[in-house]
Amino acid sequence: MERPATMPAEPPGLVRAPQPQDGEGHASGHHIFELPRVTALLMHALPRFVEGVIAPVAVFYAALVLLGLNGALVAAVAWVYGGIAYRYLRGHPVSGMLMLAAVGVTVRAGLAAATHSAVVYFLQPTLGTLAVSMAFLASVPLRRPLAMKLAKDMAPIPDAFYEHARVHRFFLRISLLWSAVLLTNVGVSLWMLFNESISMYLWIRTGIVAGLGAIGIAVSVWGFKRLVRRINGEPLAMPALVPGS
């Protein structure tokens, strides 16, 4: 849906009042939920992906080659805490997720140093990924899809939108999808960790995992945009609510 050039841009994810170009089906106060452009989402996520996924692998591998295992562990910890210090000195907010990442990498590095094993360092997040995959899967029979919880945390979507039965069914399917994506991630990671060199594990596994994640995100975004179009196209009426909501 194209917006005239004179219409001011709205924050992504907000609900706006109907406009004449929306057609008759959206008259009488039937609000329309709009998503931000996919390119805007990607440009927003790309720096975080490079900082959180690509750069740590590059730092760890370079330090492993030049300094050995202990040097690589120190470099990994220094990278995370250096990022926190940079944000603090620049006056930027330090997110809770980054603080949790700092704690996690410190524990991982400590255990790996104690066991003198790089396998231990990489095994820990893989087991964590397995736990998250099982959490996605368990949320489906409980009828409380974890994907919906994450969407509520990350996007400014009105609560009333989630009460639609079609939306609830969509997030049940997406929870199954992400359980499968993460479980495949675990399988690939474990096989490579115990059958390939650390350098092969770092780069090939990172590429495979990034590819799986990209497919999962693409399917999720495509499905959600399709869902939004269908719900926005419905005539003004009381939505079909999720039983018990």
Side-chain angles (χ1 to χ4, degrees):
M1 180 186 305
E2 295 295 327
R3 186 184 285 106
T6 57
M7 184 180 296
E10 301 177 33
L14 292 181
V15 176
R16 66 174 175 82
Q19 303 296 330
Q21 69 272 16
D22 296 331
E24 297 180 359
H26 299 297
S28 305
H30 183 39
H31 287 69
I32 298 172
F33 177 73
E34 292 189 325
L35 288 174
R37 295 182 181 276
V38 175
T39 51
L41 291 174
L42 291 177
M43 292 305 296
H44 179 74
L46 183 60
R48 291 160 177 78
F49 178 78
V50 172
E51 180 186 41
V53 177
I54 302 299
V57 172
V59 169
F60 185 90
Y61 182 70
L64 184 66
V65 172
L66 297 174
L67 305 173
L69 177 60
N70 289 335
L73 296 175
V74 171
V77 173
W79 172 263
V80 176
Y81 283 99
I84 293 175
Y86 174 81
R87 285 169 173 76
Y88 179 79
L89 293 174
R90 299 272 295 184
H92 297 163
V94 178
S95 68
M97 292 296 293
L98 186 57
M99 296 300 296
L100 289 176
V103 174
V105 76
T106 302
V107 174
R108 289 170 56 195
L111 291 174
T115 58
H116 304 287
S117 173
V119 172
V120 172
Y121 181 81
F122 292 109
L123 181 61
Q124 296 170 74
T126 300
L127 296 179
T129 301
L130 177 61
V132 174
S133 173
M134 293 299 101
F136 271 104
L137 184 61
S139 72
V140 175
L142 294 175
R143 310 298 295 177
R144 295 186 176 275
L146 182 56
M148 180 182 289
K149 169 63 176 172
L150 295 177
K152 288 181 178 180
D153 292 341
M154 293 187 296
I157 300 173
D159 290 338
F161 182 79
Y162 292 107
E163 296 176 358
H164 200 295
R166 183 178 289 170
V167 175
H168 193 263
R169 290 194 298 270
F170 168 80
F171 279 108
L172 288 172
R173 293 193 292 268
I174 291 299
S175 294
L176 283 175
L177 169 68
W178 279 101
S179 177
V181 168
L182 295 174
L183 193 59
T184 304
N185 177 340
V186 170
V188 170
S189 298
L190 289 177
W191 186 87
M192 294 199 67
L193 188 58
F194 291 106
N195 291 278
E196 300 292 342
S197 65
I198 291 297
S199 60
M200 291 285 287
Y201 171 86
L202 286 173
W203 296 113
I204 297 180
R205 179 260 182 191
T206 299
I208 292 174
V209 168
L212 289 171
I215 293 172
I217 292 171
V219 172
S220 300
V221 171
W222 174 82
F224 192 65
K225 289 174 72 70
R226 183 170 177 266
L227 173 71
V228 169
R229 285 197 300 269
R230 294 180 67 180
I231 292 179
N232 283 346
E234 293 178 350
L236 180 61
M238 290 297 293
L241 300 182
V242 178
S245 62

